[in-house]
Amino acid sequence: MKPSGLILIMLSVFFSAGAFAQPKNIHLSWTGQHETNTSHTMAITWNSKMPNNKMVRYGLKSDQLNNLATALVNAKSGLKGAYIYKAELSNLRDGTTYYYQCGSDLEGWSAVYSFKTAPKIGKRGKYVVGVWGDTQNNKGNLDFEETSKIVQKMAQHKFNLIAHMGDVVENGSVVKSWDAFLNTTQPLNAQIPFMPVTGNHDVVNANQDTSFQKPFPIYYDLFNLPGDYINYSYDYGNIHFVAINSGYAQGAAKVDKLLYEKGSPEYNWLNDDLTKARKNKRIEWIILYAHYPMYAYGVSLVPQWQKNVTPLIDKYSIDLCLTGHRHVYERHTAIKNDQIFKSADKHIYQKPEGTVYITNGSAGGSLQGIGGTDMPSMVFTPSEKMYTYAVMTIENNQLSYEVFNTEGLMIDHFKIIK
Ligand SMILES: [Fe+2]
């Protein structure tokens, strides 16, 4: 063999080892046990086959990554020999774009990505939020192929954050599904904070299990979210977001273990959280999201779940309630105390007296027929099955919501004007 051939083989071995060690499944989020500081912090989480690949270098320019942060390493993950790294950058400037990469000199660095910190709490601006749900890898989406198409479409928008309505994967106990999801969504999640709620497919479904309705251990390993990871809130500018775990509501209702019963710890937490949010005069919008819908067509509606949660939604005049579970897009009227408020213009909710309810659960999981139109609160649902995602823009006193299919066609839009 000529020396040049040997060098080529050595180089190819070197680069394949480097590729193997490259950080993967990189995703951003906000975290915090007691307080979630979206203006000055960012959590970066990734996996690698190598145990020493644990630094984030970052800075204000892509070629000057002079700051360093060290990640905590979790080696006991079920990701077949992969190590999970969690770093949190702090003391960041608000409303500022940062560049970063993760890895190490020894085992290689990721590409350079960028993210933007949230503005000061209470500051008005134009904020764009990606909304999707039910990316679960079941029939038709076994390798997240439909989800991947949506990722490509969503990547064309400049989101400040992405809210996921749960059922991230088909079976939360299958570790490789989480691996595949995070790999598929890295183009979005490495640059935009990913803030999910848990759906019934993400949590333990056996009602005798002490972890019933809680995520599988891999969820706590792979993510870095606020509070207990499943019921949490955070502020972005003048918006307060609340994410709540609806567990396995259908199964729980049958064995009297439904979450958010009045007086339960999670109910009291939500009541306190919303009390604080409403007292903060700089917070102008409150958006709550959960997996199980409060108002929906057909079997996806669990009446007792609705009865548990809607009194708090009504009490604190939540502006918008986003959900998933049913693999459709549905938009309802504003509703308060079960009373329906119809708008003169179907696309404008002008100072609505109630909360606007959306089901947005069609980002990959097998499509489930179409929503019914013979429900008094139904305003719009597509007349044929389709995968969708939504772009929500909040600017001052106006919230606009646009829903797109995988061809990029807008299938619905509306505004809430306060
Ligand atoms: Fe679901």
Side-chain angles (χ1 to χ4, degrees), residues 134 136 167 199-201 291-292 325-327:
D134 300 79
Q136 65 203 77
D167 281 357
N200 52 302
H201 287 265
H291 182 64
Y292 272 86
H325 188 56
R326 184 96 181 136
H327 299 174

Side-chain angles (χ1 to χ4, degrees), residues 99-388:
Y99 297 84
Y100 78 95
Q101 61 184 165
C102 47
S104 68
D105 284 340
L106 201 61
E107 290 113 9
W109 293 90
S110 70
V112 175
Y113 295 101
S114 66
F115 64 80
K116 193 174 181 185
T117 54
K120 281 197 173 74
I121 302 305
K123 187 175 179 184
R124 282 180 158 199
K126 181 180 179 182
Y127 306 130
V128 188
V129 181
V131 182
W132 63 344
D134 300 79
T135 48
Q136 65 203 77
N137 48 326
N138 62 1
K139 194 176 173 205
N141 194 42
L142 292 172
D143 295 316
F144 292 103
E145 54 269 41
E146 292 298 335
T147 300
S148 181
K149 288 181 198 167
I150 296 176
V151 167
Q152 288 172 34
K153 290 290 177 194
M154 290 178 85
Q156 294 168 14
H157 298 272
K158 292 203 163 170
F159 293 126
N160 296 100
L161 65 103
I162 292 178
H164 192 295
M165 301 300 115
D167 281 357
V168 179
V169 296
E170 170 68 5
N171 182 343
S173 70
V174 178
V175 171
K176 67 180 181 186
S177 293
W178 292 103
D179 188 23
F181 173 79
L182 288 171
N183 191 33
T184 302
T185 54
Q186 180 176 295
L188 290 175
N189 295 346
Q191 316 214 57
I192 305 156
F194 176 72
M195 304 299 281
V197 288
T198 35
N200 52 302
H201 287 265
D202 305 318
V203 300
V204 175
N205 270 222
N207 63 46
Q208 299 301 318
D209 196 304
T210 51
S211 294
F212 181 51
Q213 307 197 86
K214 289 196 172 75
F216 296 90
I218 189 68
Y219 192 83
Y220 297 101
D221 286 345
L222 284 173
F223 292 96
N224 196 2
L225 295 165
D228 69 355
Y229 282 35
I230 53 176
N231 298 288
Y232 62 85
S233 68
Y234 54 98
D235 295 329
Y236 192 103
N238 57 345
I239 315 161
H240 184 67
F241 288 94
V242 191
I244 66 171
N245 175 34
S246 52
Y248 174 34
Q250 275 155 309
K254 290 177 190 157
V255 292
D256 202 20
K257 289 185 177 178
L258 207 59
L259 296 166
Y260 282 89
E261 292 276 2
K262 192 173 184 183
S264 64
E266 61 273 15
Y267 180 99
N268 292 339
W269 166 82
L270 181 58
N271 193 32
D272 290 349
D273 183 85
L274 294 174
T275 301
K276 276 186 220 148
R278 272 290 168 238
K279 274 187 187 160
N280 185 346
K281 295 299 170 207
R282 295 177 303 170
I283 294 297
E284 297 177 279
W285 294 92
I286 301 184
I287 296 169
L288 181 143
Y289 58 106
H291 182 64
Y292 272 86
M294 320 300 163
Y295 291 90
Y297 181 79
V299 295
S300 298
L301 184 66
V302 179
Q304 193 56 45
W305 168 248
Q306 181 197 69
K307 286 196 182 85
N308 284 0
V309 183
T310 53
L312 289 177
I313 291 176
D314 294 338
K315 180 179 173 186
Y316 294 100
S317 301
I318 303 302
D319 296 292
L320 181 64
C321 175
L322 301 171
T323 60
H325 188 56
R326 184 96 181 136
H327 299 174
V328 296
Y329 169 74
E330 283 183 4
R331 173 158 68 89
H332 294 262
T333 59
I335 303 171
K336 187 163 198 166
N337 299 323
D338 262 336
Q339 193 183 339
I340 289 166
F341 298 94
K342 289 193 172 164
S343 305
D345 182 332
K346 284 190 172 183
H347 292 284
I348 297 178
Y349 299 82
Q350 185 81 37
K351 294 185 179 170
E353 291 184 66
T355 302
V356 177
Y357 288 86
I358 304 289
T359 301
N360 211 340
S362 45
S366 298
L367 294 173
Q368 294 171 317
I370 54 171
T373 51
D374 57 338
M375 187 179 175
S377 64
M378 188 75 74
V379 179
F380 176 78
T381 190
S383 56
E384 56 190 80
K385 295 179 185 181
M386 61 179 72
Y387 299 103
T388 68

